[in-house]
Structure formats: C-alpha cells, structure tokens
Amino acid sequence: MAERSLIFAANWKMNYGPSEARAFAQKFLPLTAPAEGRNLWFFPPAVSIGALSESMKSRSDVTIGAQNVHWEPKGPFTGGISIPMVKEAGARLTLVGHSERRHMFGETDDQVAKKTRAALSSGITPLVCVGETLAERDGGRTEQVIVRQLGSVLQALKVDDWSRVVLAYEPVWAIGTGKNASPDDAAQIHELIRMELGRNSVGVRVPILYGGSVSKDNVAELLTRPQIDGVLVGGASLQAEGWADLVEKGSKAKVRPSGWHDAVEG
Ligand code: PGA
C-alpha cells in the first residue's frame, strides 16, 4: 500500500528575525533527514524569509512560506507585503486567513478570498485556514462557520484552481491553548470540508492539515486519521529539537483503516 504524503508546517508567528532563523536552520537540519513523502514547511516572519530560504536551500523537502500577503502586487498599502516580494525572497507558499489575522486584524472572508486568488495567479501555493471560535462551537455553529469561510474562497476560485490549494482546519479555541481537537472531531470536520468541496464540484483531493495545540505528544494519534494530511503548528515548532522530535513522531503514525473507531479497540 502506498504511504501517504504528510505535511509538517511550522508557523513561527512573530518570532525569529533573520539571525535567529539561520541559527534555527543550523540546529534543525542535522536532526532530520529528507524522507520520501514528507514535506517540511516553514512560515517565518516576512523579514526572515530570505535568510531561512538561503539556510535551507540544500533541502528539497523544505519549502518556505509567508504568513500573510497583500492581494495587490504593489501600491500605496503602508505595511503591506506583496506576493511578488515574498516570492523574490524565496517563498513558495503563503498562509491565508490564519485566525489571528481574521480575529486580531479584522481580515474578512472577502479579503481571504482575494489573497487566495492572488497567490494562485502569482504561482505560489495558498494554505488557507478555516476554523470556528469557542462561542461558535458552543452555539452549535461550527459547520455553518466553516461552510461560510470556505464559501467565499469557493466563489473566488475556478474548480481547476483547487489542485494547487492546501487547507488547514484550525479551531480558534485550540490555538495556543493546549487544548487540541480530538482526532475524531478533527477528522469529522475534515470530512465536512471535503463534502463541501465535493458539493461544489471540486474533484481533486485537497490536502487538509489540522492545527491547534499540536504537540509531540498528540501528533502521532492525530495523524492516524486518514482524513488528516498533516499539521500546522505554532508553539511546538519554535525549538529546533522539539520540532524535529514532533516531525519524527508524526512521521511514524500509521493510517487507521477507514471505519476504525475508538470503541472497537480492545
Ligand atoms: P499552536 O498554533 O500550535 O501554538 O496552537 C497553531 C497555529 O496558530 O497555526
């Protein structure tokens, strides 16, 4: 049986300038060897994209991305960074719609859709994040929120574009809180996302990562679910040794056959 491909994505948020990014690479690279079907993605702050790309250029399993971009290629947008700029610095990916952008910086579904479309038309891969807040979850609105967030992206893209999109399900209540979604809950939302894509005629299997308090202790269990194609990790990606350990532990996870259920185990 062919092994699946896994993505381990490190979202450094507002941590590590260029010299710290270089020091991380020096420590991290000897701790992991490239492995078939395993992709290591790093999202450093924009000013460190160049340094990290340069430091990791020997590794074909590593791809560098931006945490945020503007949808316009240039212009009077003080503080903005365009896709051509991050691309020139070495980025081949960008996060779009991370919950901190949505909830702390007021990013709207419409802006998320514009950024996703702009990334695709400039030839970089968008990693689009969706997820509900605790109030939305407690109010029974998880499904509705995910469908709405996905809906604006679906509207902005053509069906064929989806072969170059990656999604992340990150429940807001799980980010940086130490409370991860259970593997079954995460898998269920991933199923819901796939059904929604299918309902909108997206025929390709879009990779979906889970994010929110992923750690070296829960990564292997999360990745036993065939619906989960990788992880998007903040806090636990910041120390080179810890991140390498998490990547190794996650890589060993074996997919459970579909239909497997906790209740039927021993
Ligand atoms: P966390 O963050 O792993 O620190 O919960 C995940 C994210 O925000 O992408």
Side-chain angles (χ1 to χ4, degrees):
M1 193 171 68
E3 282 296 318
R4 68 184 159 161
S5 206
L6 285 175
I7 297 165
F8 292 87
N11 173 13
W12 285 356
K13 309 191 179 184
M14 203 167 73
N15 295 285
Y16 299 161
S19 52
E20 290 167 311
R22 273 187 221 102
F24 182 104
Q26 239 176 21
K27 260 200 206 157
F28 175 77
L29 292 182
L31 300 173
T32 57
E36 179 81 14
R38 180 170 78 186
N39 305 286
L40 306 179
W41 292 1
F42 288 89
F43 296 90
V47 293
S48 302
I49 291 172
L52 197 62
S53 302
E54 186 58 31
S55 317
M56 293 195 169
K57 69 174 180 215
S58 63
R59 291 282 294 260
S60 58
D61 56 330
V62 170
T63 312
I64 310 296
Q67 295 175 11
N68 180 40
V69 288
H70 198 283
W71 56 88
E72 292 292 343
K74 62 179 179 182
F77 305 101
T78 301
I81 298 179
S82 75
I83 298 167
M85 290 172 195
V86 298
K87 210 173 157 184
E88 185 184 342
R92 296 293 172 265
L93 309 157
T94 184
L95 289 177
V96 183
H98 186 276
S99 76
E100 284 151 19
R101 301 295 321 166
R102 291 180 190 262
H103 298 289
M104 293 176 180
F105 299 96
E107 197 164 296
T108 63
D109 290 339
D110 180 50
Q111 290 171 342
V112 170
K114 279 186 185 153
K115 290 178 183 193
T116 307
R117 198 173 47 203
L120 288 169
S121 51
S122 300
I124 73 171
T125 301
L127 169 45
V128 184
C129 308
V130 296
E132 81 287 3
T133 64
L134 187 58
E136 288 161 345
R137 182 182 180 85
D138 288 347
R141 297 199 303 281
T142 299
E143 184 168 338
Q144 187 188 325
V145 169
I146 305 282
V147 167
R148 191 205 74 224
Q149 290 175 339
L150 212 53
S152 60
V153 182
L154 276 160
Q155 247 186 9
L157 302 190
K158 295 198 272 315
V159 165
D160 291 349
D161 292 331
W162 285 89
S163 59
R164 295 183 294 136
V165 176
V166 177
L167 294 172
Y169 168 55
E170 294 206 305
V172 181
W173 50 269
I175 295 178
T177 59
K179 279 188 233 149
N180 61 294
S182 74
D184 285 337
D185 282 355
Q188 197 187 338
I189 302 292
H190 288 214
E191 286 285 351
L192 164 81
I193 293 172
R194 291 222 164 81
M195 272 170 51
E196 192 55 22
L197 294 175
R199 256 182 11 91
N200 285 275
S201 312
V202 175
V204 290
R205 186 181 186 283
V206 175
I208 309 176
L209 315 186
Y210 167 77
S213 294
V214 176
S215 71
K216 65 180 173 40
D217 299 322
N218 60 27
V219 65
E221 181 65 13
L222 282 160
L223 291 177
T224 58
R225 302 306 192 267
Q227 296 88 347
I228 303 180
D229 301 300
V231 286
L232 175 56
V233 184
S237 72
L238 288 175
Q239 302 305 325
E241 295 87 351
W243 181 232
D245 190 24
L246 189 156
V247 165
E248 292 303 332
K249 289 199 161 87
S251 306
K252 292 199 183 99
K254 292 271 175 285
V255 178
R256 285 187 176 149
S258 59
W260 182 93
H261 194 275
D262 273 317
V264 298
E265 204 187 47

